[in-house]
Amino acid sequence: MDIDGFRAELETRLLIEKEYIIQELSSINDDKEKLDLLGRFNEKYKELIKRLANESGIDLNAHYPTENPSNSENLSNEQIILGKTMGVYDKLADELYEKLTSRN
């Protein structure tokens, strides 16, 4: 699995999703509804991981191959992907939060 390529593609698609959400802000006046958009962004993150894995032929439930098979930590592909991409998600979610809260 090319985790760096996966991460780059996920970041590109998340940027697009973030922009769609920002465009919706002009039609939302309720603060709670604005913050609900963060939850929707989180769901998009999870959906995109599943979609990209499917497109790449990656079984998210399969164990991630390690160099040391006797390693006691048998992590799944999904756990590895989440770990390697969470920084991208956090950065974009923080940027989105700033946009959501600055337009009050």
Side-chain angles (χ1 to χ4, degrees):
M1 169 176 42
D2 176 17
I3 193 71
D4 290 328
F6 191 98
R7 184 178 184 275
E9 182 64 24
L10 179 66
E11 183 172 16
T12 299
R13 293 187 190 192
L14 277 176
L15 278 167
I16 293 166
E17 292 298 332
K18 183 185 97 172
E19 291 305 315
Y20 283 138
I21 290 173
I22 289 171
Q23 289 176 4
E24 287 183 48
L25 280 176
S26 62
S27 65
I28 299 175
N29 293 322
D30 182 64
D31 289 340
K32 181 175 178 344
E33 284 183 52
K34 286 181 181 181
L35 290 178
D36 286 345
L37 293 174
L38 280 175
R40 197 164 94 205
F41 186 69
N42 181 275
E43 290 303 314
K44 286 291 185 181
Y45 169 63
K46 292 182 221 175
E47 287 174 21
L48 284 171
I49 286 176
K50 289 177 185 173
R51 187 177 312 145
L52 281 170
N54 188 39
E55 290 172 9
S56 303
I58 298 170
D59 179 359
L60 292 175
N61 296 315
H63 288 290
Y64 183 78
T66 61
E67 293 177 11
N68 184 0
S70 64
N71 189 346
S72 62
E73 287 190 46
N74 288 321
L75 300 175
S76 69
N77 285 331
E78 184 175 31
Q79 290 170 313
I80 295 295
I81 289 169
L82 287 171
K84 298 284 186 176
T85 63
M86 188 57 70
V88 168
Y89 169 79
D90 286 342
K91 177 182 157 258
L92 295 176
D94 287 347
E95 291 172 6
L96 182 57
Y97 179 79
E98 289 297 319
K99 289 279 189 190
L100 295 172
T101 57
S102 69
R103 295 186 178 207
N104 290 335

